[in-house]
Amino acid sequence: MTDPVTHRLTTAEAIAEHLHGLIRRDGRLADVVARAGPVDVRMTEPGFAGMAKVICGQQLSVASARAIWTRFAAIEGATDPGQFLLLPEETIRASGFSAGKTRTLRAVAEAVVAGELDFSHIELLPAEAAIARLTAIKGIGPWTAEIYLMFCAGHPDVFPSGDLALQKAVAHALGLDTRPAAAELAAIAKAWSPHRAAAALLFWRYFAAIREREGIAL
């Protein structure tokens, strides 16, 4: 396989190659792949707009996040960091962004405008370095950084171990006695490097499949 940082999860072919790599590293995942069904490409716009969308979706249902994002993106200048900083806070809040999310996005915009945050550079870094740089911004936690790197940059080697659905899916698929905490799941996922993002996509799909197709509640 080519350099894993550049072999991004932006095509169906790349995902398939990473899934094959996962199975070679951990044979238990062959059954997970079979039960999960197709793992789709899930990419969104990179840069400030992409980070804004990730922040928008924090701790919300898909439907709620989509509705808020639609209102936010309709605000002129909202997805440009420089223009965003000129918008009144009440305009942002009216779209559905909480006060905390508004502060976080303002911190991101300020870092971009000041030249302290270059998304195009961060997206080329190894996972740990990229996450460290993003989480240095107040309000950006590991989950937000990892989701950005996965879905906006196609980074192939991040795994959001704090995600509840992933914790439940891995516990079920691997027959664990209890749902692993974030640190435990991160340790498990280390064995799947440099394919950890493909593993996350796989287990999210597995989580949906066993609930929807097989009728198993997690």
Side-chain angles (χ1 to χ4, degrees):
M1 179 177 288
T2 57
D3 179 355
V5 174
T6 58
H7 197 69
R8 297 180 179 274
L9 298 180
T10 56
T11 66
E13 292 76 14
I15 290 176
E17 186 171 348
H18 278 284
L19 290 176
H20 286 309
L22 274 174
I23 294 172
R24 287 194 297 269
R25 285 185 172 272
D26 189 339
R28 298 174 299 175
L29 300 189
D31 182 62
V32 179
V33 170
R35 295 179 70 181
V39 177
D40 297 326
V41 178
R42 296 168 58 185
M43 293 293 296
T44 192
E45 182 179 0
F48 178 77
M51 178 58 81
K53 193 170 187 178
V54 173
I55 291 170
C56 174
Q58 292 171 338
Q59 298 180 318
L60 291 177
S61 68
V62 173
S64 295
R66 184 180 295 118
I68 293 171
W69 177 254
T70 298
R71 292 193 295 269
F72 175 83
I75 301 170
E76 185 175 358
T79 58
D80 175 87
Q83 295 182 54
F84 172 84
L85 291 174
L86 300 177
L87 294 172
E89 181 173 347
E90 55 267 27
T91 299
I92 305 303
R93 295 291 308 280
S95 71
F97 268 63
S98 67
K101 290 181 180 180
T102 300
R103 285 194 298 271
T104 297
L105 193 51
R106 186 169 295 277
V108 173
E110 288 172 347
V112 173
V113 170
E116 299 169 355
L117 177 59
D118 181 347
F119 282 107
S120 61
H121 170 68
I122 285 175
E123 290 162 8
L124 298 177
L125 295 175
E128 287 74 14
I131 291 167
R133 180 63 191 90
L134 289 172
T135 55
I137 298 172
K138 188 174 182 179
I140 300 293
W143 183 90
T144 300
E146 290 157 350
I147 294 297
Y148 175 85
L149 291 170
M150 281 187 63
F151 295 114
C152 299
H155 199 299
D157 200 30
V158 293
F159 191 94
S161 60
D163 188 271
L164 181 60
L166 288 180
Q167 293 171 1
K168 290 182 175 181
V170 171
H172 184 274
L174 302 187
L176 305 182
D177 292 333
T178 59
R179 174 171 60 84
E184 182 183 355
L185 184 53
I188 292 171
K190 279 187 177 180
W192 302 328
S193 180
H195 314 290
R196 284 179 287 185
L201 292 176
L202 170 64
F203 280 107
W204 273 319
R205 183 69 197 103
Y206 175 87
F207 182 81
I210 61 174
R211 289 194 308 162
E212 297 168 6
R213 188 173 63 237
E214 301 185 20
I216 300 173
L218 292 182

